[in-house]
Amino acid sequence: MTAPAERIVIEKCAVATVDADDTEYPAGHVVVAGDRIESVGPGPAPAGLDGVVRRVDGTGHLLTPGLVNTHHHFYQWITRGLATDHNLFDWLVALYPTWARIDEAMTHAAAQGSLAMMARGGVTTAMDHHYVFPRGTGDLSGSIIRAAAAMGVRLTLARGSMDRGESDGGLPPDFAVETLDDALAATEETIDKHHDASFGAMTQIAVAPCSPFSVSTELLRQGAELARRKGVRLHTHGSETVEEEQFCRELFGMGPTDYFESTGWLGEDVWMAHCVHMADPDIAAFARTRTGVAHCPSSNARLAAGIARVPDMLAAGVPVGLGVDGTASNESGELHTELRNALLINRLGSHREAALTARQALRLGTYGGARVLGRAEAIGSLEAGKLADLVLWRMDTLAHASIADTVAALVLGAAAPVTLSLVNGRPVVEDGRLVTADEDAIARATRDEARRLARIAGLTG
Ligand SMILES: [Zn+2]
């Protein structure tokens, strides 16, 4: 006989469910039973519930689905604040030699730093696109998965790869790339070892060659075949800059979207970071194929890449989520601030005052992200039967107390403190602090590993 589920009751808070109707309750409740949401509704929780182990008074708070990050490079946590005034290609060329010196200990510490910063800010599902695998440096993928598992944060690890070095017309130096066969074999091994296809999976793997200018056409083709044979998702960078567009036209005789389509890289099992330089036919192709987009407004601004046409994508029916991108191009590494940045930047980009609303921004950061990661059945909204990934934001302090509309306050106001976040019904943050990891120890470890990397890479004496 299985034990009855332990229940957590959260009530007396505003609730933004982000369900299909955007249902909100000014004072509502959520009941969590085990790892699932059992009920969501207005007013207090139903009376007479058995097995209630915790009852949270949410007065002065807003309850939302946990935030879902759809694009990141965890290892960059230890190369922040470098090449701060460069465009994408110059920034990559400046950083590749340092990145090529990472090892397992550095990767693990950087993953902890990235995960801790996001989790503290309400992220319950993280994503890491890791594509730097120097030879003989240990089990980098395993170290990332260990860090997320220990912190209790849900993870999609996109096993990245690069096989087009400088001598093949690519951007990365030859010493930073793998061979085609090594990249495919290691990706398949990572899927076999770590991918969990179950509803409640804490770890999923995607196939993720890095970008058109760092991987061969064959790696894209065979990577897509591998992903579809294994039933996992596909991820890469696309249409990030004008330079990438020129690169594709010169080398392949077509723009990035047509190139991706020619290699099997448009489809409802694909999501792509950035998609900044998209003409109407490109957006139509993404909509037709249900290819997803990870919108990364801060990184695009930091690298002067441009402004993605998110309102046009949404109008066309393209699935869109939010990403922080690697923290070498977005030093804050926080997703909740991206809600605000997405709204502001898209209004600037479109010159339209309602181009993106606060509720649309919250949807991008929750349900939209779940959709592009292929997890919309399980996470991304507060609905009975879904996994209990949720965040209780404190809205009664100086920063937000005078704003009546709590969703507007969360998106437009200062970054709100997290009173409680649950992943699979288990607390990850309490009163603004991680409870599954020691933030101060992680801060020290990441500082030490950043210094060690700088020394090895010759950045410091
Ligand atoms: Zn990226």
Side-chain angles (χ1 to χ4, degrees), residues 80-422:
R80 293 188 296 160
L82 303 173
T84 52
D85 306 305
H86 297 50
N87 73 12
L88 175 71
F89 278 15
D90 293 344
W91 172 86
L92 286 168
V93 168
L95 288 167
Y96 281 138
T98 299
W99 291 343
R101 309 303 296 269
I102 60 169
D103 61 24
E104 187 176 328
M106 293 173 192
T107 305
H108 184 255
Q112 286 185 309
S114 297
L115 285 158
M117 196 68 196
M118 281 189 291
R120 220 177 57 155
V123 168
T124 53
T125 296
M127 179 277 181
D128 185 14
H129 182 189
H130 190 91
Y131 56 85
V132 183
F133 290 91
R135 213 173 279 274
T137 49
D139 179 11
L140 304 190
S141 297
S143 77
I144 295 160
I145 290 165
R146 276 202 315 280
M151 214 173 285
V153 176
R154 207 179 293 285
L155 176 71
T156 292
L157 174 67
R159 204 293 181 182
S161 46
M162 301 192 293
D163 74 333
R164 187 192 287 276
E166 263 173 325
S167 59
D168 294 320
L171 200 64
D174 288 347
F175 61 79
V177 304
E178 298 174 281
T179 66
L180 169 69
D181 289 344
D182 285 353
L184 288 167
T187 304
E188 181 159 3
E189 189 188 324
T190 307
I191 297 166
D192 290 342
K193 201 166 168 191
H194 297 291
H195 182 69
D196 177 357
S198 71
F199 182 83
M202 288 298 286
T203 307
Q204 295 203 327
I205 307 298
V207 175
C210 188
S211 65
F213 50 84
S214 59
V215 310
S216 65
T217 304
E218 210 41 45
L219 181 50
L220 282 172
R221 279 216 185 91
Q222 293 191 33
E225 283 168 16
L226 169 66
R228 287 172 181 139
R229 181 159 54 82
K230 293 287 181 182
V232 302
R233 296 181 76 76
L234 297 81
H235 180 64
T236 190
H237 295 93
S239 304
E240 185 172 356
T241 62
V242 286
E243 291 82 4
E244 178 190 328
E245 167 104 27
Q246 282 162 6
F247 180 95
C248 288
R249 291 202 182 281
E250 276 165 28
L251 242 75
F252 314 124
M254 58 186 112
T257 301
D258 290 338
Y259 177 57
F260 283 126
E261 185 147 42
S262 76
T263 53
W265 275 77
L266 293 189
E268 60 186 355
D269 54 358
V270 181
W271 87 104
M272 230 172 271
H274 306 306
C275 304
V276 172
H277 298 279
M278 301 268 280
D280 289 346
D282 301 319
I283 292 178
F286 270 58
R288 172 172 46 81
T289 56
R290 293 286 181 267
T291 305
V293 170
H295 175 46
C296 306
S298 292
S299 172
N300 296 155
R302 160 83 151 79
L303 297 170
I307 299 175
R309 296 169 58 192
V310 171
D312 296 335
M313 292 177 194
L314 294 176
V318 177
V320 183
L322 292 181
V324 302
D325 202 0
T327 45
S329 64
N330 176 4
E331 275 73 2
S332 102
E334 297 178 292
L335 191 66
H336 55 332
T337 50
E338 297 299 298
L339 304 177
R340 181 170 188 259
N341 291 345
L343 181 148
L344 297 178
I345 284 175
N346 282 287
R347 288 185 181 185
L348 281 174
S350 65
H351 300 273
R352 293 207 307 274
E353 65 275 18
L356 209 60
T357 67
R359 277 150 182 93
Q360 281 178 305
L362 177 60
R363 176 172 291 275
L364 291 179
T366 53
Y367 186 84
R371 194 172 166 207
V372 305
L373 294 184
R375 304 295 305 268
E377 296 294 312
I379 58 172
S381 59
L382 301 179
E383 296 179 81
K386 282 195 156 184
L387 297 168
D389 290 10
L390 45 87
V391 182
L392 190 64
W393 307 90
R394 187 160 180 199
M395 308 306 291
D396 64 354
T397 69
L398 174 66
H400 306 93
S402 59
I403 307 176
D405 178 344
T406 49
V407 172
L410 179 72
V411 173
L412 294 170
V418 173
T419 292
L420 178 68
S421 87
L422 303 180

Side-chain angles (χ1 to χ4, degrees), residues 36-93:
R36 304 293 170 94
I37 295 171
E38 185 176 59
S39 66
V40 185
L49 291 171
D50 293 331
V52 176
V53 294
R54 185 169 180 187
R55 197 172 280 274
V56 178
D57 181 342
T59 304
H61 286 75
L62 169 66
L63 189 64
T64 71
L67 301 184
V68 178
N69 188 42
T70 63
H71 187 66
H72 203 314
H73 311 288
F74 289 176
Y75 74 92
Q76 293 180 8
W77 189 259
I78 55 171
T79 62
R80 293 188 296 160
L82 303 173
T84 52
D85 306 305
H86 297 50
N87 73 12
L88 175 71
F89 278 15
D90 293 344
W91 172 86
L92 286 168
V93 168

